[in-house]
Amino acid sequence: MSVILKAEHICVAYEGKKVVDHVSFEVEHGDYLCIVGENGTGKSSLVKAMLGLVPTCCGKAVFNLKDGKRRIGYMPQQLDEQKSFPATVAETVISGCLSGMRFPKIYGKKEKQTAEEYMKYLDIYELRHKSVGELSGGQRQRVFLARALCAADEILVLDEPVSGLDINAAKDLYSCLEKLNREKGITVVMISHDMQSAMKYATKILHLDKKLLFCGKKEDYLLSVHSKKLLM
Amino acid sequence: MELLTLVFSDSHILRCTAVGILVSLCAALLGVCLVLKRYSMIGDGLSHVAFGALSISFALNLAPLAVTIPVVMITAFVLLRLSDSGKIKGDSAIALIASTSLAAGVAAASLGGGGQIDVNSYMFGSILLVGKEEFLICLPLAIVVLAVFVLCYHDIFLVTYDEDFARASGTNAAAYKTLIALLTALVVVIGMRIMGTLLISSLVIFPALTAMRVFKSFRGVIICAGFTSVFAFLLGLLISFAAELPTGSSIVLADAVIFALFFMVGKVLKRS
């Protein structure tokens, strides 16, 4: 299997305080990687640094995608103010297609088909004329997942996608992700607080506490000392 | 009817009306982005800075627009940075800058103005303050704003909605935000003549909030905000001529009435 993401010595600091300290790892095509760790251990910062959303002090992340284009499906943590944003499901999902487009960006047949396909795949096609604010938490997360899929079909990067969802909605979202990973071979990189599900679905675990504590196969992680603390 | 013929036979008033329509339209479009990105205070802060710059340029006998426009544009850029950096709370920083410039403006007006500047009309606006210069700036400004919103509509949607996602997928969010802030600065400087320092921010905020009562899609909100803004301007202008009220306050009152109507329509639609 080939490497899709290679992070080398990533450091992030806010106002002189290091929050991510020399983290290096690799992700291969088709991996399902869960980034775990306690609150405030730099998980979101690491992901944002990889995507170029926060400046790094040193190090870099290289995405090795086919045809060399930067097409990454990112699903950020949802802010409260975004929940009342006036946008329909269809408007939201298709906006993911923008990443592959050039000026002037006008949606053509191809973009509309892509959006429709993923809305159907994630079972939100019937809701397409509804406002995102009217949806339940689980439906809304599927809308953002569909948007991320429109932006990329090789790698998804998700920041706590199930936070704030009830157990059933979380289960639904996990099975969507599992399906995408198994059926379509999409690489999944996910920050998770939910250790039980991380252990159930992931193939690889990255344990972060500012420094990299562990990165490797789930089976090896379960045997390591680091897993004990979080799985208690 | 007599009033209408009187209004539309005067070329100065016609020009002022044209400026008002264009400014209302631009303010509404930019306002949707500002309100949704929680930057509505920036519009308010900019108007106060514009007042300060205007008064000082009058007191020092400088060309008012040539001083005010660059000052307000720089302020817009700084305020945007302040709101994003999170080091000082954005809204309190804006309040500090706004009240300081207002105070400086009032001081300059009473020290050096010597009757040249009518503080009252700058505070509350008067359509008669709109001159040829405003018209000449306003027309290209409106064209640029409309062109940006038509050509970059989808990018603006994404940057307003979810900046992190937009940046992760390769959109230059910072450039769009700066562009919107600079255009807002221009709209505020021009619109201030009509609406006055204290009321211009309503031109930015009201249409967006009004449209959001009823419309749930971004496209719907943008289009509706543009229409209600122009309608409220024309309605307010007529009221101000008929009842001899200050233009700014009549327009804001018209905006408020339209908002109340949309609010009720929104409630009814939600129930059914």
Side-chain angles (χ1 to χ4, degrees):
Chain A
M1 275 203 287
S2 59
V3 172
I4 190 167
L5 163 63
K6 191 177 168 111
E8 287 175 319
H9 299 288
I10 292 186
C11 294
V12 182
Y14 293 124
E15 290 165 14
K17 230 175 140 186
K18 259 199 181 145
V19 289
V20 177
D21 194 1
H22 288 279
V23 173
S24 307
F25 62 94
E26 280 180 0
V27 180
E28 288 174 337
H29 274 281
D31 275 350
Y32 190 136
L33 174 84
C34 268
I35 301 176
V36 300
E38 290 181 51
N39 278 329
T41 48
K43 302 191 295 292
S44 282
S45 301
L46 173 65
V47 164
K48 284 185 178 172
M50 289 181 340
L51 295 169
L53 301 178
V54 295
T56 52
C57 318
C58 63
K60 60 173 190 228
V62 181
F63 286 89
N64 176 24
L65 303 173
K66 60 178 178 220
D67 52 334
K69 275 191 191 149
R70 185 193 157 86
R71 285 173 60 81
I72 303 155
Y74 177 45
M75 191 167 150
Q77 256 175 328
Q78 291 309 311
L79 307 170
D80 279 342
E81 63 216 49
Q82 284 163 346
K83 289 177 186 158
S84 58
F85 193 93
T88 62
V89 170
E91 276 182 320
T92 308
V93 172
I94 203 170
S95 68
C97 294
L98 286 172
S99 71
M101 293 167 73
R102 282 165 179 279
F103 183 86
K105 299 178 179 177
I106 295 160
Y107 300 134
K109 222 177 191 167
K110 191 179 131 215
E111 285 78 24
K112 283 177 186 153
Q113 265 172 5
T114 311
E116 197 180 309
E117 182 195 327
Y118 284 122
M119 282 193 281
K120 283 180 177 157
Y121 191 81
L122 293 174
D123 213 13
I124 47 175
Y125 188 65
E126 304 302 317
L127 305 170
R128 65 190 181 282
H129 297 305
K130 284 214 166 196
S131 168
V132 175
E134 296 166 357
L135 306 181
S136 70
Q139 290 168 332
R140 198 181 302 131
Q141 289 303 71
R142 275 187 306 200
V143 170
F144 292 125
L145 181 58
R147 180 181 66 176
L149 284 166
C150 283
D153 37 22
E154 276 186 278
I155 182 163
L156 283 173
V157 180
L158 310 105
D159 195 342
E160 298 201 14
V162 299
S163 73
L165 296 188
D166 61 56
I167 298 173
N168 286 327
K171 224 167 144 186
D172 277 351
L173 196 70
Y174 279 126
S175 60
C176 286
L177 288 172
E178 194 184 19
K179 218 164 83 172
L180 287 164
N181 183 246
R182 297 258 165 88
E183 288 177 6
K184 301 206 172 206
I186 294 175
T187 312
V188 176
V189 174
M190 174 165 82
I191 295 177
S192 180
H193 258 137
D194 177 3
M195 282 303 281
Q196 307 296 328
S197 304
M199 290 306 140
K200 188 170 163 200
Y201 296 103
T203 56
K204 271 187 176 176
I205 299 289
L206 190 160
H207 188 160
L208 197 68
D209 186 5
K210 288 181 189 164
K211 293 182 181 189
L212 185 72
L213 294 182
F214 180 91
C215 183
K217 287 212 174 80
K218 173 174 72 179
E219 292 75 19
D220 297 336
Y221 179 69
L222 284 169
L223 298 172
S224 78
V225 283
H226 301 298
S227 67
K228 302 287 181 288
K229 213 170 98 191
L230 282 181
L231 281 172
M232 284 277 270
Chain B
M1 210 50 226
E2 211 174 291
L3 186 76
L4 279 181
T5 36
L6 181 78
V7 167
F8 290 109
S9 60
D10 186 321
S11 73
H12 178 66
I13 293 181
L14 264 184
R15 193 169 60 212
C16 299
T17 312
V19 170
I21 291 175
L22 294 176
V23 166
S24 311
L25 186 62
C26 296
L29 297 183
L30 295 166
V32 172
C33 297
L34 294 176
V35 166
L36 287 170
K37 282 218 76 86
R38 311 274 149 122
Y39 289 153
S40 22
M41 278 304 286
I42 287 183
D44 199 42
L46 289 180
S47 67
H48 289 63
V49 173
F51 172 77
L54 266 181
S55 299
I56 291 169
S57 63
F58 269 118
L60 298 176
N61 263 328
L62 299 168
L65 284 182
V67 174
T68 311
I69 287 175
V71 168
V72 176
M73 283 181 131
I74 293 167
T75 316
F77 191 71
V78 172
L79 289 183
L80 193 69
R81 280 290 151 86
L82 274 177
S83 296
D84 281 351
S85 75
K87 275 182 195 163
I88 316 173
K89 271 268 174 240
D91 50 349
S92 37
I94 293 172
L96 275 184
I97 294 175
S99 50
T100 310
S101 343
L102 194 61
V106 173
S110 68
L111 274 180
Q116 271 189 51
I117 170 169
D118 176 8
V119 172
N120 196 43
S121 72
Y122 277 97
M123 284 295 185
F124 300 106
S126 158
I127 192 129
L128 301 172
L129 283 174
V130 176
K132 265 202 179 118
E133 262 183 316
E134 276 84 0
F135 183 67
L136 288 179
I137 297 173
C138 190
L139 204 60
L141 169 67
I143 292 169
V144 170
V145 171
L146 284 177
V148 166
F149 270 83
V150 170
L151 293 175
C152 310
Y153 169 81
H154 296 300
D155 278 335
I156 289 176
F157 166 75
L158 197 57
V159 170
T160 312
Y161 194 177
D162 194 333
E163 208 179 311
D164 276 347
F165 180 84
R167 287 174 60 202
S169 52
T171 310
N172 192 343
Y176 278 107
K177 275 165 55 184
T178 310
L179 183 66
I180 285 174
L182 295 181
L183 291 173
T184 307
L186 275 173
V187 167
V188 165
V189 174
I190 307 291
M192 223 185 88
R193 299 298 180 99
I194 303 170
M195 303 298 293
T197 305
L198 297 179
L199 300 175
I200 175 71
S201 55
S202 65
L203 212 59
V204 174
I205 298 167
F206 259 120
L209 288 180
T210 301
M212 276 155 63
R213 291 313 104 199
V214 172
F215 288 89
K216 299 294 171 208
S217 72
F218 191 70
R219 187 182 298 268
V221 168
I222 286 263
I223 293 172
C224 173
F227 275 110
T228 52
S229 181
V230 172
F231 181 71
F233 167 75
L234 290 173
L235 186 64
L237 191 65
L238 280 180
I239 293 171
S240 88
F241 281 132
E244 291 184 15
L245 288 170
T247 336
S249 75
S250 333
I251 294 170
V252 176
L253 289 176
D255 264 318
V257 169
I258 296 172
F259 176 81
L261 283 176
F262 272 65
F263 183 80
M264 283 186 278
V265 171
K267 285 271 179 230
V268 172
L269 283 179
K270 211 173 183 183
R271 203 167 291 170
S272 60

